[in-house]
Amino acid sequence: MTAIGAVPVEARSGGATPAEQELLGRVQRGDADAFNLLVRRHLPRARVVAMRLMGDPDDADDLVQEAFLRVLDRIGSFDPSRPFEPWFTRVLLNLGLDLKRKQAVRRPQLRDVDAEPGRERPDQDVERAELGRSLRNALNRLPARQRAIVTLFELDGLSTGEVATMLNVSQVTVRWHLHQARRTLREALKAWQP
């Protein structure tokens, strides 16, 4: 069962659903309401991917907006029989990777939210928060492409084939980046290993 407005998983790996084809056709004909519906359907996932890639909420929102504008510009060349989500995600990731390369100055990381009050073991909350901070820092030190691949594969649960399609690279490249990123993360987090 999928959430209302979500693109079914089958549509990601196969062709577009008939409803999605019809919606994309309307967008290609200039129907602004159809484009708004398309944005609403894909906005939640786009924000998650952008936030994981950019690390900053404002940069992530800017990236999502730019990606939707880029897609609208190029929607006429899109084949509506193909699923929209992989194409859109590839545009989003490519724009994000370009932005990350262009950023000369790193922004300071946001502070973690305080542990929830009323827990029995505050030391566990502190330790968990420190581990989460260490993991975020380690992820942020990965090259942008590796961070995107790890995020899509490990956190979003996409297959190496889906990640490869979205990034327009081979599955071998995806697996190599996953291997390198995991090795880097293990080294960065070895103090947390039992």
Side-chain angles (χ1 to χ4, degrees):
M1 177 179 216
T2 59
I4 295 174
V7 176
V9 173
E10 305 84 50
R12 272 197 271 153
S13 56
T17 64
E20 186 176 50
Q21 287 180 17
E22 191 270 330
L23 180 63
L24 289 167
R26 287 177 44 210
V27 172
Q28 287 179 328
R29 291 188 296 275
D31 185 333
D33 291 333
F35 182 69
N36 287 336
L37 179 57
L38 189 69
V39 169
R40 281 196 309 273
R41 284 184 178 181
H42 295 278
L43 185 60
R45 178 164 160 62
R47 282 184 172 152
V48 168
V49 171
M51 184 58 197
R52 288 179 181 158
L53 179 62
M54 303 306 290
D56 177 81
D58 293 330
D59 288 346
D61 287 343
D62 290 345
L63 173 60
V64 169
Q65 182 176 348
E66 181 62 30
F68 277 116
L69 290 173
R70 178 78 51 98
V71 161
L72 183 59
D73 246 5
R74 297 179 180 172
I75 197 73
S77 65
F78 182 71
D79 176 2
S81 69
R82 297 182 62 207
F84 177 77
E85 185 180 26
W87 180 62
F88 173 74
T89 303
R90 184 175 36 230
V91 169
L92 177 79
L93 289 171
N94 287 338
L95 282 171
L97 293 171
D98 287 345
L99 284 172
K100 292 297 280 184
R101 277 191 287 271
K102 291 175 185 176
Q103 288 178 339
V105 179
R106 295 182 80 95
R107 293 185 177 177
Q109 297 295 319
L110 296 176
R111 292 183 301 132
D112 285 330
V113 178
D114 292 334
E116 293 179 25
R119 294 218 175 181
E120 290 183 34
R121 300 274 319 265
D123 59 322
Q124 288 178 334
D125 289 340
V126 170
E127 187 174 310
R128 192 173 300 118
E130 287 174 12
L131 175 59
R133 189 172 24 258
S134 295
L135 179 58
R136 279 190 302 281
N137 289 338
L139 280 169
N140 285 335
R141 285 193 299 269
L142 289 175
R145 183 171 297 266
Q146 281 184 12
R147 185 171 49 253
I149 288 171
V150 166
T151 298
L152 290 169
F153 183 80
E154 297 289 354
L155 301 177
D156 290 344
L158 299 180
S159 69
T160 57
E162 290 170 323
V163 174
T165 299
M166 287 179 184
L167 294 177
N168 200 25
V169 298
S170 71
Q171 287 189 50
V172 171
T173 300
V174 170
R175 286 192 294 270
W176 182 85
H177 279 294
L178 280 171
H179 173 74
Q180 294 298 318
R182 287 172 178 155
R183 190 173 70 187
T184 301
L185 291 172
R186 266 194 304 274
E187 182 64 28
L189 299 172
K190 67 182 173 185
W192 291 96
Q193 296 172 10

